[in-house]
Amino acid sequence: MRCPFCGGPDTQVKDSRPSEDSSAIRRRRVCPDCGGRFTTFERVQLRELVVLKRSGKRVPFDRDKLQRSIDVALRKRTVDPERVERLVSGITRRLESGGEGEVTSEAIGEAVMEGLKGLDDVAYVRFASVYKNFREAQDFQDLLGTLGDRLEGEPTLPQEEEQAAPAPPGEEVGPRRRRPARKSA
């Protein structure tokens, strides 16, 4: 492995262990020339995948690009990095074991949307807005409608809930009830 700092051709492995989700081998390396330390990951690749873009262009599948696009959608969201790594590994494994050497960019996009929908709703909407090239607010509203269907059944608060006055001393405080609107004089 070439040193990323000085370009030295030979580096030494100091420590080797499985990654958190056991989908890769994590190796700590040191360069004998400059003393630089860095980490590499070794992953199993079942087959070389080629991505067929919408334009008709064919490019090699890049796991790091998949990781970056999911990271952008999850920016400033509190999601466990291990769950994100499992999502990326799961999508990659599913694509590699699909039997095809060529996969469409649409299939990758749909797999990412499906994974993000279960991981974080905000990241799902962010990714979908770029992937589906939203142009107007109605596109967001339609997508949010599909999320709303999933969230139905959760209790909602009334739009205009009046604040209850404190109960007089000695009276029990029960659940809030809406009072009829007072007529103004």
Side-chain angles (χ1 to χ4, degrees):
M1 173 68 60
R2 185 172 296 279
C3 175
F5 304 111
C6 70
D10 295 317
T11 57
Q12 298 171 345
V13 175
K14 288 297 181 187
D15 181 39
S16 188
R17 64 179 69 180
S19 64
E20 291 82 21
D21 64 350
S22 297
S23 66
I25 302 292
R26 180 181 181 272
R27 299 192 195 282
R28 287 291 299 152
R29 296 179 178 264
V30 66
C31 176
D33 297 337
C34 70
R37 294 176 177 269
F38 59 100
T39 303
T40 60
F41 290 89
E42 182 180 310
R43 289 186 170 78
V44 173
Q45 184 174 354
L46 297 176
R47 68 179 58 182
E48 285 288 324
L49 285 178
V50 175
V51 178
L52 177 61
K53 302 270 204 175
R54 290 179 184 164
S55 65
K57 187 177 176 184
R58 288 174 168 75
V59 295
F61 175 75
D62 184 1
R63 185 184 194 283
D64 293 333
K65 183 176 180 182
L66 175 65
Q67 176 80 48
R68 283 190 307 272
S69 65
I70 291 173
D71 287 343
V72 167
L74 286 166
R75 185 168 291 144
K76 295 188 179 181
R77 302 296 297 163
T78 54
V79 177
D80 183 22
E82 188 174 312
R83 292 181 68 199
V84 176
E85 178 60 31
R86 276 196 308 258
L87 173 64
V88 173
S89 294
I91 291 171
T92 304
R93 241 180 281 118
R94 193 174 338 140
L95 294 172
E96 288 177 344
S97 63
E100 299 283 327
E102 190 171 272
V103 63
T104 63
S105 59
E106 288 84 11
I108 296 171
E110 293 297 326
V112 170
M113 283 181 49
E114 179 185 319
L116 286 175
K117 193 172 192 178
L119 195 64
D120 185 88
D121 289 339
V122 172
Y124 168 71
V125 172
R126 285 177 179 170
F127 185 86
S129 69
V130 174
Y131 172 68
K132 294 189 177 217
N133 199 17
F134 286 3
R135 297 247 182 242
E136 55 190 46
Q138 184 63 42
D139 297 333
F140 284 98
Q141 195 169 8
D142 294 342
L143 182 72
L144 292 174
T146 63
L147 282 177
D149 294 343
R150 188 181 68 160
L151 299 176
E152 275 185 14
E154 291 184 13
T156 57
L157 297 173
Q159 293 275 340
E160 297 176 12
E161 187 174 314
E162 294 182 29
Q163 291 186 1
E171 285 189 28
E172 288 185 27
V173 178
R176 287 186 182 176
R177 293 187 184 170
R178 289 196 72 156
R179 295 181 194 161
R182 295 182 186 166
K183 293 183 181 177
S184 58

